[in-house]
Amino acid sequence: MKINGQTKKGIITMLEELKETVFHANLDLVKHHLVLFTWGNVSAINREKGLVVIKPSGVDYDTMKASDMVVVDLETGKVVEGDLNPSSDTPTHLVLYRNFPEIGGVVHTHSTYATAWAQAGIDIPNIGTTHADYFHDSIPCTDAMTKEQMGEYELNTGIVIVDKFKKDGLNPVHTPGVLVKNHGPFTWGKDANEAVYHAVVAEQVAKMAFISFSVNPRTTMNPLLIEKHFSRKHGPNAYYGQKKKA
Amino acid sequence: MKINGQTKKGIITMLEELKETVFHANLDLVKHHLVLFTWGNVSAINREKGLVVIKPSGVDYDTMKASDMVVVDLETGKVVEGDLNPSSDTPTHLVLYRNFPEIGGVVHTHSTYATAWAQAGIDIPNIGTTHADYFHDSIPCTDAMTKEQMGEYELNTGIVIVDKFKKDGLNPVHTPGVLVKNHGPFTWGKDANEAVYHAVVAEQVAKMAFISFSVNPRTTMNPLLIEKHFSRKHGPNAYYGQKKKA
Amino acid sequence: MKINGQTKKGIITMLEELKETVFHANLDLVKHHLVLFTWGNVSAINREKGLVVIKPSGVDYDTMKASDMVVVDLETGKVVEGDLNPSSDTPTHLVLYRNFPEIGGVVHTHSTYATAWAQAGIDIPNIGTTHADYFHDSIPCTDAMTKEQMGEYELNTGIVIVDKFKKDGLNPVHTPGVLVKNHGPFTWGKDANEAVYHAVVAEQVAKMAFISFSVNPRTTMNPLLIEKHFSRKHGPNAYYGQKKKA
Amino acid sequence: MKINGQTKKGIITMLEELKETVFHANLDLVKHHLVLFTWGNVSAINREKGLVVIKPSGVDYDTMKASDMVVVDLETGKVVEGDLNPSSDTPTHLVLYRNFPEIGGVVHTHSTYATAWAQAGIDIPNIGTTHADYFHDSIPCTDAMTKEQMGEYELNTGIVIVDKFKKDGLNPVHTPGVLVKNHGPFTWGKDANEAVYHAVVAEQVAKMAFISFSVNPRTTMNPLLIEKHFSRKHGPNAYYGQKKKA
């Protein structure tokens, strides 16, 4: 049997590693206190094969196993492997992978502070270097969904995200996350672990901004400082952390 | 000896399971950080026998045993089995069971954020999908009790809840909880575990709404989005989680 | 050797139990997250002997032993037993014991929310039944200390508390705690354990009131409801918890 | 081989102890919940040798060892010992050591509440005795950096701190910490452990001030009370804690 031009055996062996990664990344959401019950999901993509590994829908983190991860086709969304239903948010993840070719992992949570800002329906302004180290601009909040878009809700959740990035000229690598209005945050990264990292950053940044605006409603940051901090960790002149050996 | 037409032995065997369930549901309140000291209680009902199992009053969670659970009669409130006094909130639980025939478990806590909204005396507006997934409308806050109602305080706590639901035309299955003004939340569900689940949701939703209104006092949500999210998990077209085998 | 008319041996044997109680009550402050570092202290009194047992000053909770507790004379404040300095707040504790004859234990903490209200310099209004179950009225905040009073700071801290209770006609049994302006809470009870319990209540009530006033600045409670709730747990008609066997 | 006039062997033996201290002080930041991921660093100085020991950049706290600590020269900032890059904030630490000769340890974190005040760009006013026990005045917030200063960002972070202290006539021993505008707190002390202690105090004080100003925007404290409390723990008449044996 061949799927996307590979023997099934070859695919499975390769995806077993990705399943392990996605499984552990889902548990990391719990470790970082980003999820209650089953309210979160992580996926990762194998771009070569056009397959996405994602958490099953509504399964308890305590009993979940790596082998419960579900494999779906990037284009059709059909389940290629797995006995359980994939996360109900799968169509959103797939829209993001199809439109943001640079990303390798996606996370969705209902983490407290980021979700509260999403409910408030406003961008989280970039007011500190903690924010600027990972997100170049505000963490944007999508427009409200139209009545028509609610028909295919999860698909259109992805579409309102992509529309927001197009409309505002945002680069998904420099802005690795978004707030879906009245819903909650999606974040992404080069792989599942970086997507989880950005979910933690978004929650912390949301919490600190809530406090900052409470003590000073007119909080702002000089855009030059944003530029400086972002470039410490990104781009050709990055100098944070340990340099890789040549 | 017969109670409600059953031999005592038969009742005990059946209720032992319910006692275990109620006991563990009470401990889950602690696990989810919803109670300080003894400030919370869970009950569940056996509708067939007209008996309710509830936590004893003021007993420490650390030393409490399943066999300490108290069995009371749904109609009279009299203790049918158990050496300890039932929770002082028992009359409230019984009013809810008598008026909301669909429910199988009831929870009362003084959880921080839900209690703070109850003290504030206002409904928690439905401003996000986390809320809409479990509560169709606002989490309502009851009217203040009249001087006359304070005589039989716990009984009338139940009555002001039921009055609120009647007056506003609320469906207790679609709105599985309430804030009692200046007191705290009561939640319910098809059984004790679902009632605890809804207590956790109410607390989280209360916390997030507090933050949302702090960062944007004019936070709102499109009612169509509420409808969409609620129906993802409820009703004939629900599609969240793993489908039960036919 | 005789102290207050008792042989020294007799006193020591009796106070060993009180030292154990005070030692464990101090550790309970840590368990309930009410103290950072060494910022809290518990004492208890033996009224018959006129002796107070209190935590030593600035000693780490991790290494502290029951035998480190210091015994001081109620009237003179002199150390009767113990190798370490007593808490620097000892003079405050002694003023409370001398003026409130009904109390058997005193606690001082810098717990986050109660201290924040003390800094704000305003009473915590009684707006919920959680509060009314333990504190009949507002948790009062003392007046600012005069320049003259700052000379004997800890002694006068006790005096401004007592003055506040006299001026407002407050009963220290019905109002088992206070906020010292710009400083933090003191609570008390019939023994050290009840004083700790009231410290936990004060912190939780302070946290919830902060949230309530944030979501509704005009939060209030009907005084009749305060009366009802307070009398559920206090006075001749109390009915909360398990009745003591006659 | 000689460095600063010592044999290399001699230096290493001496600095091994300082590395252990700095390593454990870094772990204490985690224990006190002041850091997420790698977002914090502690250093300490050996003044005699003019060498500073500091955490490596971007290394995980879970796998970090005492031997990973990096030794840099106080004047040149060059790495004297260690295989890893020193913290990217090293130039800031060095400016502080060069300008504040009384200090022996420096801490930088992005702790939630202190960072939120730094983002808000305002001083944390001294409104309580918890604050006054450790910081004589407000915890000051630096001016914004100029465009020119952003070129050597970390060096100039140190310089804006020192400028703030000069301009306002602040004594770094009486004000053992600062908020860098739009960035986060730096604290210091006579050694690494005291610097960590002051980082914990700054975070707690920032949290309580946020709450105090929320419940009472006009919160203030009598300057005389500040004086009294600060002198309880500092200066010739300090009387808090256990006196050192002569």
Side-chain angles (χ1 to χ4, degrees):
Chain A
M1 181 192 165
K2 290 194 176 193
I3 297 170
N4 291 6
Q6 301 283 326
T7 63
K8 190 174 177 189
K9 193 169 185 311
I11 288 170
I12 291 172
T13 307
M14 183 168 294
L15 293 184
E16 294 307 295
E17 279 177 38
L18 202 57
K19 281 184 195 169
E20 281 288 341
T21 299
V22 170
F23 169 63
H24 285 291
N26 272 290
L27 295 188
D28 281 348
L29 295 184
V30 180
K31 187 182 128 193
H32 285 292
H33 308 294
L34 299 184
V35 293
L36 268 175
F37 301 121
T38 61
W39 305 350
N41 43 69
V42 184
S43 70
I45 191 168
N46 180 319
R47 291 258 173 213
E48 207 178 297
K49 298 184 193 308
L51 296 176
V52 170
V53 175
I54 193 162
K55 180 176 159 289
S57 181
V59 169
D60 203 316
Y61 288 90
D62 288 345
T63 57
M64 193 168 67
K65 303 180 300 292
S67 60
D68 291 336
M69 300 301 109
V70 184
V71 183
V72 300
D73 186 273
L74 173 62
E75 296 304 331
T76 65
K78 289 205 176 123
V79 173
V80 171
E81 192 182 64
D83 298 326
L84 298 166
N85 292 339
S87 165
S88 59
D89 296 307
T90 300
T92 313
H93 289 239
L94 298 183
V95 171
L96 296 177
Y97 286 122
R98 289 198 293 260
N99 284 276
F100 298 160
E102 308 90 338
I103 71 176
V106 172
V107 166
H108 173 50
T109 77
H110 288 217
S111 68
T112 305
Y113 290 87
T115 300
W117 279 87
Q119 292 184 161
I122 49 180
D123 300 357
I124 305 176
N126 192 342
I127 54 171
T129 63
T130 319
H131 183 131
D133 278 341
Y134 301 97
F135 288 81
H136 186 278
D137 303 282
S138 294
I139 302 182
C141 185
T142 66
D143 292 337
M145 222 174 251
T146 63
K147 185 177 174 184
E148 287 68 35
Q149 287 176 318
M150 287 184 203
E152 291 192 83
Y153 178 70
E154 291 82 6
L155 180 76
N156 283 310
T157 296
I159 287 171
V160 295
I161 294 171
V162 172
D163 285 351
K164 175 72 178 172
F165 274 66
K166 279 187 190 152
K167 195 177 75 173
D168 293 3
L170 296 170
N171 175 341
V173 175
H174 290 179
T175 300
V178 71
L179 307 175
V180 176
K181 189 165 188 300
N182 295 117
H183 185 160
F186 281 81
T187 58
W188 47 80
K190 66 175 193 284
D191 54 26
N193 289 328
E194 196 180 81
V196 170
Y197 195 102
H198 290 150
V200 176
V201 172
E203 176 65 4
Q204 178 67 6
V205 156
K207 182 173 187 179
M208 296 197 303
F210 155 68
I211 301 161
S212 295
F213 283 103
S214 171
V215 300
N216 180 9
R218 280 182 293 280
T219 295
T220 55
M221 177 158 67
N222 183 342
L224 291 170
L225 185 56
I226 295 173
E227 217 57 57
K228 172 62 193 175
H229 252 267
F230 191 76
S231 64
R232 280 174 87 201
K233 296 205 180 183
H234 298 82
N237 299 316
Y239 57 93
Y240 181 87
Q242 304 302 324
K243 296 260 168 42
K244 302 293 181 292
K245 305 286 182 193
Chain B
M1 181 193 168
K2 289 194 178 193
I3 297 171
N4 291 7
Q6 301 283 326
T7 64
K8 190 173 178 188
K9 192 169 185 313
I11 288 170
I12 291 173
T13 306
M14 183 167 294
L15 292 184
E16 294 306 295
E17 280 177 37
L18 202 57
K19 281 183 193 169
E20 282 287 339
T21 300
V22 170
F23 169 63
H24 286 290
N26 273 289
L27 295 187
D28 281 349
L29 295 184
V30 181
K31 186 182 129 193
H32 285 292
H33 308 294
L34 299 185
V35 293
L36 268 174
F37 301 121
T38 61
W39 304 351
N41 43 69
V42 184
S43 70
I45 191 168
N46 181 319
R47 292 259 172 211
E48 208 178 296
K49 297 184 194 305
L51 296 175
V52 171
V53 174
I54 193 162
K55 181 175 159 289
S57 181
V59 169
D60 202 315
Y61 287 90
D62 288 345
T63 57
M64 193 170 67
K65 304 180 300 293
S67 59
D68 291 335
M69 300 300 109
V70 185
V71 183
V72 300
D73 186 90
L74 173 63
E75 297 303 331
T76 65
K78 290 208 176 119
V79 173
V80 171
E81 192 181 65
D83 298 326
L84 299 166
N85 292 341
S87 165
S88 59
D89 296 307
T90 301
T92 313
H93 288 241
L94 298 183
V95 171
L96 296 177
Y97 287 122
R98 290 198 291 260
N99 284 274
F100 299 160
E102 310 90 338
I103 71 177
V106 172
V107 167
H108 173 49
T109 77
H110 288 217
S111 69
T112 305
Y113 290 86
T115 301
W117 280 87
Q119 291 184 161
I122 50 181
D123 300 357
I124 305 176
N126 191 342
I127 54 170
T129 62
T130 319
H131 183 131
D133 279 341
Y134 301 98
F135 288 81
H136 187 278
D137 304 282
S138 294
I139 301 182
C141 185
T142 66
D143 292 339
M145 223 174 252
T146 63
K147 184 178 174 184
E148 288 68 34
Q149 287 177 318
M150 287 184 204
E152 291 191 84
Y153 178 69
E154 291 81 6
L155 179 76
N156 283 310
T157 296
I159 288 171
V160 295
I161 294 172
V162 172
D163 285 351
K164 175 72 178 172
F165 273 67
K166 278 187 190 154
K167 194 177 75 173
D168 292 4
L170 296 170
N171 175 342
V173 175
H174 290 179
T175 300
V178 70
L179 307 175
V180 176
K181 189 164 189 300
N182 295 117
H183 185 159
F186 281 82
T187 58
W188 47 80
K190 66 176 193 284
D191 54 28
N193 289 327
E194 197 180 81
V196 170
Y197 195 102
H198 290 149
V200 176
V201 172
E203 176 65 4
Q204 178 67 8
V205 157
K207 182 173 186 180
M208 296 197 303
F210 155 67
I211 302 160
S212 296
F213 283 103
S214 171
V215 299
N216 181 8
R218 280 181 293 280
T219 295
T220 56
M221 177 158 68
N222 183 341
L224 290 170
L225 184 56
I226 295 173
E227 217 57 56
K228 172 61 194 175
H229 253 266
F230 191 77
S231 63
R232 280 174 86 201
K233 296 204 179 183
H234 298 83
N237 299 316
Y239 58 93
Y240 181 88
Q242 304 301 325
K243 296 260 168 42
K244 302 293 181 292
K245 305 286 182 193
Chain C
M1 180 192 168
K2 289 196 176 192
I3 298 172
N4 292 5
Q6 301 284 324
T7 63
K8 189 172 180 190
K9 191 168 185 314
I11 288 169
I12 291 173
T13 306
M14 183 168 294
L15 293 184
E16 294 306 295
E17 278 176 39
L18 202 56
K19 282 184 194 169
E20 281 288 339
T21 299
V22 170
F23 170 63
H24 285 290
N26 273 290
L27 296 187
D28 282 348
L29 295 184
V30 180
K31 187 183 129 193
H32 285 293
H33 307 294
L34 299 185
V35 293
L36 267 174
F37 301 121
T38 61
W39 305 350
N41 43 69
V42 184
S43 71
I45 191 167
N46 181 320
R47 291 257 172 213
E48 208 178 297
K49 299 184 193 306
L51 295 176
V52 171
V53 175
I54 193 163
K55 181 176 159 288
S57 181
V59 169
D60 203 315
Y61 288 91
D62 287 345
T63 58
M64 192 168 68
K65 303 180 300 294
S67 59
D68 291 336
M69 299 301 109
V70 184
V71 183
V72 300
D73 185 90
L74 173 63
E75 297 304 331
T76 66
K78 290 207 176 120
V79 173
V80 171
E81 192 182 65
D83 299 325
L84 298 167
N85 293 340
S87 165
S88 59
D89 296 308
T90 300
T92 314
H93 288 241
L94 298 184
V95 172
L96 296 177
Y97 286 122
R98 289 198 292 260
N99 285 274
F100 299 160
E102 309 90 337
I103 70 177
V106 171
V107 166
H108 172 50
T109 77
H110 287 216
S111 69
T112 305
Y113 289 87
T115 301
W117 279 88
Q119 292 184 161
I122 49 180
D123 300 357
I124 305 177
N126 192 342
I127 55 171
T129 62
T130 319
H131 184 132
D133 278 341
Y134 301 98
F135 289 81
H136 186 277
D137 303 281
S138 295
I139 301 183
C141 185
T142 66
D143 292 338
M145 223 174 251
T146 63
K147 185 178 174 183
E148 288 66 36
Q149 288 177 317
M150 287 184 204
E152 291 191 83
Y153 178 70
E154 291 80 7
L155 180 77
N156 284 310
T157 296
I159 287 172
V160 295
I161 294 172
V162 172
D163 286 350
K164 174 73 178 171
F165 273 67
K166 278 187 190 154
K167 194 177 76 173
D168 292 3
L170 295 171
N171 176 341
V173 175
H174 289 180
T175 300
V178 70
L179 307 175
V180 176
K181 189 165 189 300
N182 296 117
H183 186 159
F186 281 81
T187 59
W188 47 80
K190 66 177 192 285
D191 54 26
N193 289 327
E194 196 180 81
V196 170
Y197 195 102
H198 290 150
V200 176
V201 172
E203 176 66 4
Q204 178 66 7
V205 157
K207 182 173 187 180
M208 296 198 303
F210 155 67
I211 302 162
S212 295
F213 283 103
S214 171
V215 300
N216 181 9
R218 281 181 293 280
T219 294
T220 55
M221 177 158 68
N222 183 342
L224 291 170
L225 184 55
I226 295 173
E227 218 55 58
K228 172 62 194 173
H229 252 267
F230 191 77
S231 63
R232 280 173 87 200
K233 297 204 179 183
H234 298 83
N237 300 316
Y239 57 93
Y240 181 88
Q242 303 302 325
K243 295 263 170 40
K244 303 292 181 293
K245 304 287 182 193
Chain D
M1 181 193 167
K2 289 194 178 194
I3 297 172
N4 292 6
Q6 300 284 325
T7 63
K8 190 172 178 189
K9 192 169 185 310
I11 288 170
I12 291 173
T13 306
M14 183 167 293
L15 293 184
E16 294 306 295
E17 279 177 39
L18 202 57
K19 281 184 195 169
E20 281 288 339
T21 300
V22 170
F23 169 63
H24 286 291
N26 274 289
L27 295 188
D28 281 349
L29 295 184
V30 180
K31 187 183 130 193
H32 285 293
H33 307 294
L34 299 184
V35 293
L36 267 174
F37 301 120
T38 61
W39 304 351
N41 42 70
V42 184
S43 71
I45 191 167
N46 181 319
R47 292 256 172 213
E48 207 178 298
K49 299 184 193 306
L51 296 176
V52 171
V53 174
I54 193 162
K55 181 175 159 288
S57 181
V59 169
D60 203 315
Y61 288 90
D62 288 345
T63 58
M64 194 168 67
K65 303 181 300 291
S67 59
D68 291 335
M69 299 301 108
V70 184
V71 183
V72 300
D73 185 273
L74 173 62
E75 297 304 330
T76 65
K78 290 207 176 120
V79 173
V80 170
E81 192 182 67
D83 298 325
L84 298 167
N85 293 339
S87 165
S88 58
D89 296 307
T90 300
T92 313
H93 289 240
L94 297 184
V95 171
L96 296 177
Y97 286 121
R98 289 198 293 259
N99 285 276
F100 299 160
E102 308 90 339
I103 70 177
V106 172
V107 167
H108 172 49
T109 77
H110 288 217
S111 69
T112 305
Y113 290 87
T115 301
W117 279 88
Q119 292 184 160
I122 49 180
D123 299 358
I124 305 177
N126 191 341
I127 55 171
T129 62
T130 318
H131 183 131
D133 278 341
Y134 302 97
F135 288 81
H136 186 278
D137 303 282
S138 294
I139 301 182
C141 185
T142 66
D143 292 338
M145 222 175 252
T146 63
K147 185 178 172 183
E148 288 66 35
Q149 287 177 317
M150 286 184 204
E152 291 191 82
Y153 178 70
E154 291 81 8
L155 180 76
N156 284 310
T157 296
I159 287 171
V160 295
I161 294 172
V162 172
D163 285 351
K164 174 73 178 172
F165 273 66
K166 279 186 189 152
K167 195 177 76 174
D168 292 4
L170 296 170
N171 175 342
V173 175
H174 290 179
T175 300
V178 71
L179 307 175
V180 176
K181 189 166 189 298
N182 295 117
H183 185 160
F186 280 81
T187 58
W188 47 79
K190 66 177 192 284
D191 55 26
N193 289 327
E194 196 180 82
V196 170
Y197 195 102
H198 290 150
V200 176
V201 172
E203 176 65 4
Q204 178 66 8
V205 157
K207 182 173 187 179
M208 295 197 304
F210 155 68
I211 302 161
S212 296
F213 283 103
S214 172
V215 300
N216 180 8
R218 280 181 294 279
T219 294
T220 56
M221 178 159 67
N222 183 342
L224 291 170
L225 185 55
I226 295 173
E227 216 57 56
K228 172 63 194 174
H229 253 267
F230 190 77
S231 63
R232 280 174 86 201
K233 296 204 180 185
H234 298 83
N237 300 315
Y239 56 93
Y240 181 87
Q242 303 302 325
K243 295 261 169 40
K244 302 293 180 292
K245 304 286 181 194

